[in-house]
Amino acid sequence: PVTSFLVLFIAIPIQFSSTWTTVLWSVQLIIMNLISSRFNIKSVRLFSYLLFALILIKGIIWDMYNTAEMEPVLNSRFWSLGFIFISGYTTYFYFKNVQMDNVEKGIISLTYYTSLIIILLNINAEIFFGVNYYENVFSSTYKTPVIFILWILTSAIMCNAIIFVNKEKPEHNIKRYFGYSVFIIFSVLISISSLFLDSENFIPFFNIRTVLLIAIVTLALITKINTAKIKLISMPESHNIKLILETLIYIMPFVILSTETYLFIRYENININPNYFNALTSASWGIVWAITGTVYIYTAIKNNIKSLRYIGLLAISISIIKLFIFDLFLLPTTIRIIAFIICGLILLVAGLNYQKNVDLMKKILN
């Protein structure tokens, strides 16, 4: 059987184009997986791993970088990478329950994760080129935010799909962690990238970047709820994932308020003197962080949310440090005085809140 498959493998590139070569190699790999799993032929199974590695290399080096003007979905790049995913996942699917040594188990796991990464990259590449293909639908201001929104949605769907498929077996925690990492990495990278968007035409608090950041919070909350429904996962895994997702959710309001405050101060309808832009931005950020931190602390005390309390305390600490190290020397006198007064009032409220709930805090700490 190996010899016959090897002859087909060699013959395919001679007769077909690069795209069809990838597709037909993938179809051959699927057939090999089916035959090997049915008749338990180890030599064919080993050849399947080698063929998938060659298809993967070809897809990464040639097919993935085919960025010619092509219609979305109806192009060679999409179908090549799509068949690579199908062949890789079927390799895992047919062989996952076969008795094998640890090395082969590692190869199977690598095939599983690689195929998921390939399909995610394929879908996201199609989103990128698809949005740019329809130039009359999206203006230059909205192209990148729309791409970001679709990317984060794709990563969230994959994350929750992996959680759903692997929720019945506690030993599949690595697969679940992989799903969470996909969503977390995309969330962090897209959040950072959103700070550098061209916001010239954005209206403060009513713009597509705000929609994007709110979408990240919403999808993180949905993922957190889905995680809580899994009863079989271990307590350490549940705690770690909950802490990571909560941290992402709690930090996003600081990002939203900071970016929108920056836009608000520079918004043309406000008519603020440009000479005061940087000073007002710096002062307003400290005030916003202190207010948000105070709200977090109050909410955390009432609901016994440890991570939220720490983030609130950190936000207030950063505001105070920034006030004395940066604002004290660089802000104009009037703005500096106002910033000190407001921050002092905020700290007074936070201190009174702690004093009012001191018994509750002792109970929580005990």
Side-chain angles (χ1 to χ4, degrees):
V2 175
T3 303
S4 61
F5 284 125
L6 182 60
V7 171
L8 289 173
F9 170 76
I10 297 173
I12 287 173
I14 300 175
Q15 300 294 330
F16 299 96
S17 64
S18 176
T19 300
W20 278 107
T21 297
T22 304
V23 171
L24 292 175
W25 274 352
S26 300
V27 173
Q28 177 183 338
L29 178 56
I30 295 171
I31 296 173
M32 289 169 55
N33 294 336
L34 179 61
I35 293 175
S36 178
S37 63
R38 186 175 180 85
F39 298 101
N40 195 21
I41 308 175
K42 184 176 181 180
S43 58
V44 176
R45 190 167 73 240
L46 296 176
F47 185 58
S48 295
Y49 304 147
L50 176 61
L51 180 55
F52 177 71
L54 293 173
I55 296 173
L56 182 64
I57 293 172
K58 181 180 180 298
I60 293 175
I61 294 178
W62 283 286
D63 300 335
M64 189 176 293
Y65 294 97
N66 186 359
T67 58
E69 290 293 332
M70 297 178 292
E71 292 187 17
V73 180
L74 304 176
N75 61 77
S76 59
R77 181 192 61 250
F78 177 78
W79 289 104
S80 295
L81 296 179
F83 270 90
I84 292 174
F85 159 72
I86 295 173
S87 62
Y89 190 82
T90 54
T91 301
Y92 163 78
F93 180 79
Y94 282 120
F95 300 152
K96 63 180 180 180
N97 296 322
V98 176
Q99 294 293 330
M100 57 184 68
D101 55 32
N102 292 331
V103 175
E104 199 169 348
K105 287 181 180 179
I107 295 174
I108 286 295
S109 298
L110 185 61
T111 304
Y112 171 80
Y113 297 122
T114 303
S115 62
L116 292 181
I117 293 174
I118 285 294
I119 191 60
L120 182 63
L121 292 176
N122 191 22
I123 294 174
N124 286 342
E126 208 60 29
I127 290 171
F128 176 83
F129 291 109
V131 171
N132 285 281
Y133 181 82
Y134 296 105
E135 296 180 353
N136 297 329
V137 177
F138 303 101
S139 65
S140 58
T141 302
Y142 295 104
K143 278 183 180 180
T144 302
V146 169
I147 291 171
F148 283 169
I149 290 175
L150 295 176
W151 280 359
I152 195 65
L153 180 61
T154 303
S155 66
I157 292 174
M158 173 172 282
C159 173
N160 285 274
I162 293 174
I163 296 171
F164 177 79
V165 172
N166 297 285
K167 67 179 181 179
E168 299 297 335
K169 296 183 178 181
E171 64 270 18
H172 288 174
N173 60 329
I174 297 179
K175 295 179 181 177
R176 290 193 294 270
Y177 273 120
F178 173 79
Y180 293 123
S181 65
V182 168
F183 176 68
I184 295 298
I185 291 172
F186 268 79
S187 298
V188 172
L189 293 179
I190 290 175
S191 298
I192 295 173
S193 300
S194 69
L195 302 179
F196 301 96
L197 291 174
D198 182 10
S199 57
E200 183 178 353
N201 298 320
F202 285 0
I203 300 175
F205 299 99
F206 296 96
N207 57 74
I208 195 167
R209 177 170 57 193
T210 303
V211 174
L212 168 63
L213 297 177
I214 292 175
I216 293 175
V217 175
T218 303
L219 293 171
L221 184 60
I222 293 173
T223 304
K224 180 176 177 290
I225 294 172
N226 289 340
T227 302
K229 294 179 181 179
I230 303 177
K231 304 300 182 182
L232 296 177
I233 64 175
S234 63
M235 287 301 295
E237 179 186 350
S238 177
H239 174 75
N240 293 337
I241 297 303
K242 179 182 177 183
L243 183 61
I244 293 172
L245 292 175
E246 283 183 349
T247 302
L248 176 65
I249 293 170
Y250 297 149
I251 288 178
M252 290 309 297
F254 291 100
V255 179
I256 295 173
L257 292 173
S258 297
T259 55
E260 299 312 306
T261 300
Y262 179 91
L263 282 181
F264 180 79
I265 292 173
R266 287 158 176 78
Y267 192 50
E268 58 183 8
N269 293 340
I270 304 299
N271 294 324
I272 296 176
N273 189 335
N275 295 328
Y276 293 98
F277 279 172
N278 293 333
L280 287 174
T281 301
S282 178
S284 61
W285 280 353
I287 293 171
V288 166
W289 298 341
I291 293 175
T292 307
T294 302
V295 173
Y296 276 16
I297 291 173
Y298 176 80
T299 305
I301 292 174
K302 292 297 184 181
N303 298 279
N304 190 18
I305 307 175
K306 187 176 181 180
S307 58
L308 184 60
R309 190 168 71 248
Y310 285 152
I311 293 176
L313 289 171
L314 179 62
I316 293 178
S317 300
I318 292 175
S319 300
I320 295 173
I321 294 172
K322 176 179 172 297
L323 184 67
F324 282 96
I325 294 180
F326 183 82
D327 297 341
L328 181 63
F329 301 101
L330 298 180
L331 293 182
T333 304
T334 304
I335 298 177
R336 183 170 64 242
I337 293 173
I338 295 174
F340 267 85
I341 293 174
I342 295 176
C343 285
L345 293 174
I346 294 171
L347 292 175
L348 179 62
V349 172
L352 292 175
N353 180 46
Y354 259 104
Q355 186 64 32
K356 181 180 179 181
N357 297 280
V358 62
D359 294 333
L360 180 60
M361 284 296 300
K362 290 180 179 178
K363 183 178 179 181
I364 292 174
L365 294 174
N366 290 332

